[in-house]
Amino acid sequence: FFVGNSLVEGLRLNSDDGYPFYCEVGISLPTLNRKLALPDDYDIAIIEMGSNELGAYSEESFKNSYQELIEILDALATVLDSTYQLDQEPYAARVNNTNVRLYNDYIRSVCSETGATFVDCSAFFGDTLPAEWTRDGLHLTSSTYANWYQWIIKKVGLDQY
């Protein structure tokens, strides 16, 4: 079950294997936690959230909202993708690599506290998002979404089914 913002919407549009998605362009964690509709059956939740929250939430507020989302999902395993480093900085004043690193640390902390698995996407993206992989400095090209999706599927072991 894939959960998240516009980046997850990009994954949804470039996948074809039938896994359920709940995503919304521009959604924040507090709004997602209020609106989330769960599918009937899933074993793993793959969350990609953080880019819309960068610099807009305190550490405590962000971590509490992320923990609440994990509790709502109540999945056997929860995998959290990190927000990737941006090539074109800043994408927006608060959406910058300093905040990306800070919020990724918050996500790592939430994973430690909840037992969720942190998947570091720098293994896919490298130190920064390559300029040719993005349309606007944050959102990806279709082929990059498709490749990232396949990388995630393999990384979490869904390619074994």
Side-chain angles (χ1 to χ4, degrees), residues 42-107:
Y42 63 97
D43 293 326
I44 186 169
I46 300 169
I47 305 166
E48 201 303 314
M49 287 294 291
S51 57
N52 293 335
E53 291 77 14
L54 292 175
Y57 293 86
S58 69
E59 176 181 3
E60 180 181 6
S61 175
F62 180 78
K63 289 170 68 174
N64 286 343
S65 291
Y66 230 122
Q67 288 171 336
E68 181 182 348
L69 176 59
I70 292 169
E71 290 171 14
I72 290 168
L73 290 166
D74 193 28
L76 297 176
T78 304
V79 179
L80 293 92
D81 278 339
S82 62
T83 302
Y84 42 77
Q85 296 277 335
L86 307 171
D87 177 57
Q88 302 170 23
E89 189 180 2
Y91 171 79
R94 63 181 178 77
V95 182
N96 57 60
N97 286 335
T98 299
N99 281 338
V100 167
R101 287 185 293 275
L102 183 63
Y103 279 66
N104 279 342
D105 286 344
Y106 298 164
I107 294 170

Side-chain angles (χ1 to χ4, degrees), residues 24-161:
E24 187 175 318
V25 173
I27 199 163
S28 66
L29 277 164
T31 304
L32 175 63
N33 289 344
R34 285 191 309 274
K35 293 176 66 175
L36 183 61
L38 301 174
D40 290 334
D41 186 38
Y42 63 97
D43 293 326
I44 186 169
I46 300 169
I47 305 166
E48 201 303 314
M49 287 294 291
S51 57
N52 293 335
E53 291 77 14
L54 292 175
Y57 293 86
S58 69
E59 176 181 3
E60 180 181 6
S61 175
F62 180 78
K63 289 170 68 174
N64 286 343
S65 291
Y66 230 122
Q67 288 171 336
E68 181 182 348
L69 176 59
I70 292 169
E71 290 171 14
I72 290 168
L73 290 166
D74 193 28
L76 297 176
T78 304
V79 179
L80 293 92
D81 278 339
S82 62
T83 302
Y84 42 77
Q85 296 277 335
L86 307 171
D87 177 57
Q88 302 170 23
E89 189 180 2
Y91 171 79
R94 63 181 178 77
V95 182
N96 57 60
N97 286 335
T98 299
N99 281 338
V100 167
R101 287 185 293 275
L102 183 63
Y103 279 66
N104 279 342
D105 286 344
Y106 298 164
I107 294 170
R108 282 183 185 91
S109 176
V110 168
C111 289
S112 291
E113 293 167 13
T114 63
T117 301
F118 181 83
V119 175
D120 186 349
C121 289
S122 67
F124 177 80
F125 291 106
D127 290 337
T128 59
L129 175 63
E132 64 272 12
W133 288 11
T134 179
R135 302 183 327 255
D136 60 6
L138 177 65
H139 300 95
L140 307 175
T141 63
S142 293
S143 62
T144 303
Y145 277 122
N147 291 335
W148 185 31
Y149 180 80
Q150 289 306 315
W151 181 85
I152 292 168
I153 293 295
K154 288 179 185 160
K155 189 75 174 169
V156 301
L158 292 174
D159 61 332
Q160 305 299 313
Y161 297 100

